[in-house]
Amino acid sequence: MESDKKVLPGAIEIIKQSFSFYKKNHKILISIALVPFVLYFIQTVFSIFAPGAMQSMGSSTLLGMGILLIVISITGGIVQLLTQISMIKSISELDKGSVLLSIKEIYKNSYGLFFPYIFVSILLSLCFLSSAIFLIIPAIILSGYLVFSHFYLIIENKRGLQALSASFYYVKNNWWNVAVKFVFIALCSMGVTLILFLIIYIVVSLINGSFDFTSFAVNMSEYGAMNAVVSLIFGFIFYCVYTPVITIYSYLIYKNLKLTKPEPNPEVDFKKSRVWFK
């Protein structure tokens, strides 16, 4: 994946490189993604089958189940953030040829970036909300400039406004190029999702002997166990294939952007953006 190009490769080329990288490192990437998928599995099974079981439970049992669901949800949110940090950090290390440790160690090494990650996320939210006051278009434009803030935090340890300023610096003069690449991958994702949904619809319809698409799309909850299977299939694809590939895709854009400009001088190149963010 090493490159000496001074311009960004095309979207299709980056997609090819992303799948090649995923194929080469799929075992470690899937292992990282399986952690949040297990929690998703528990939540999915719970949400589908628990309502029927709760009808015969007492109030104290219902309270316990409610507390358990809250704990699972909070745990899932924390694990999701740690997974995002671990995924980006691991992809960067694998790209450098580093040998990664166990999954436990990978997640353990992400703990130190948990709160800085949250802080950068808060700063991004404040920026987007502030720009949204002037309607949605400024917020969209700003999101393009700041899309790599978390990458600069996790990979280069740039904290707070410095992470936002680094993303702004590299995307500047490349905004349209970056935006088109993300729109392209979003459209590809929508197309693949639609195809998977249609395949599952046909399979379920053949099993049930009915091809009522509207009923299938609107009333998936009525399919019970079949709904659980469909949800878990989509969940596995999302966590273990889609998320790693999209993260690799984003990482490659981030990496190639760094080749288009010299290393910034924070005191000079970040001065205007820091003042503007504040």
Side-chain angles (χ1 to χ4, degrees):
M1 286 170 47
E2 291 295 327
S3 173
D4 57 359
K5 294 181 179 180
K6 299 298 182 182
V7 295
L8 293 178
I12 295 178
E13 176 61 26
I14 296 177
I15 289 177
K16 290 179 180 178
Q17 293 178 16
S18 300
F19 277 104
S20 176
F21 186 88
Y22 176 80
K23 182 180 179 181
K24 181 180 178 181
N25 302 283
H26 69 279
K27 291 183 180 180
I28 186 68
L29 296 176
I30 290 176
S31 297
I32 295 171
L34 280 177
V35 177
F37 174 73
V38 169
L39 287 174
Y40 171 79
F41 176 88
I42 295 172
Q43 287 178 303
T44 299
V45 173
F46 187 90
S47 62
I48 292 175
F49 296 105
M54 285 182 176
Q55 294 178 2
S56 60
M57 294 180 180
S59 57
S60 60
T61 305
L62 286 174
L63 178 61
M65 294 289 284
I67 294 174
L68 177 60
L69 181 59
I70 292 174
V71 171
I72 292 174
S73 299
I74 294 175
T75 303
I78 294 173
V79 169
Q80 189 64 48
L81 290 179
L82 289 174
T83 299
Q84 292 171 10
I85 297 170
S86 300
M87 191 69 71
I88 293 174
K89 195 172 184 65
S90 296
I91 289 171
S92 174
E93 292 299 319
L94 288 168
D95 186 34
K96 296 173 183 176
S98 302
V99 177
L100 299 184
L101 304 175
S102 65
I103 298 302
K104 181 180 178 180
E105 290 298 321
I106 290 174
Y107 272 89
K108 185 177 180 180
N109 292 337
S110 300
Y111 294 161
L113 290 171
F114 180 76
F115 289 107
Y117 187 95
I118 292 178
F119 182 60
V120 168
S121 298
I122 292 173
L123 292 177
L124 288 172
S125 299
L126 291 173
C127 287
F128 297 152
L129 288 172
S130 300
S131 61
I133 294 174
F134 304 98
L135 301 179
I136 191 65
I137 293 179
I140 294 174
I141 294 174
L142 186 61
S143 65
Y145 281 112
L146 304 183
V147 66
F148 299 108
S149 298
H150 287 127
F151 283 80
Y152 287 101
L153 165 68
I154 296 168
I155 298 174
E156 302 184 24
N157 199 33
K158 296 184 184 298
R159 305 293 180 102
L161 288 176
Q162 197 174 43
L164 276 64
S165 296
S167 180
F168 193 95
Y169 169 79
Y170 281 106
V171 176
K172 188 178 180 181
N173 300 326
N174 282 293
W175 190 93
W176 278 109
N177 203 342
V178 172
V180 167
K181 286 174 173 54
F182 279 108
V183 170
F184 181 80
I185 196 65
L187 292 175
C188 290
S189 300
M190 292 171 59
V192 172
T193 300
L194 179 60
I195 292 172
L196 288 173
F197 184 83
L198 289 175
I199 291 173
I200 293 175
Y201 159 69
I202 293 173
V203 173
V204 172
S205 298
L206 289 172
I207 294 174
N208 288 276
S210 172
F211 285 84
D212 187 350
F213 181 81
T214 302
S215 176
F216 175 81
V218 177
N219 302 309
M220 275 293 293
S221 60
E222 296 181 1
Y223 284 82
M226 187 63 70
N227 182 26
V229 173
V230 171
S231 298
L232 292 175
I233 291 174
F234 271 103
F236 181 83
I237 294 173
F238 174 81
Y239 282 103
C240 299
V241 181
Y242 174 80
T243 298
V245 170
I246 292 298
T247 306
I248 296 167
Y249 182 87
S250 302
Y251 168 78
L252 287 172
I253 299 176
Y254 148 84
K255 177 184 175 181
N256 282 281
L257 269 177
K258 287 181 64 63
L259 299 176
T260 65
K261 293 183 179 181
E263 195 70 23
N265 180 346
E267 296 303 320
V268 177
D269 298 309
F270 293 173
K271 184 176 181 180
K272 289 184 179 179
S273 59
R274 283 202 303 265
V275 172
W276 189 85
F277 291 142
K278 291 178 181 178

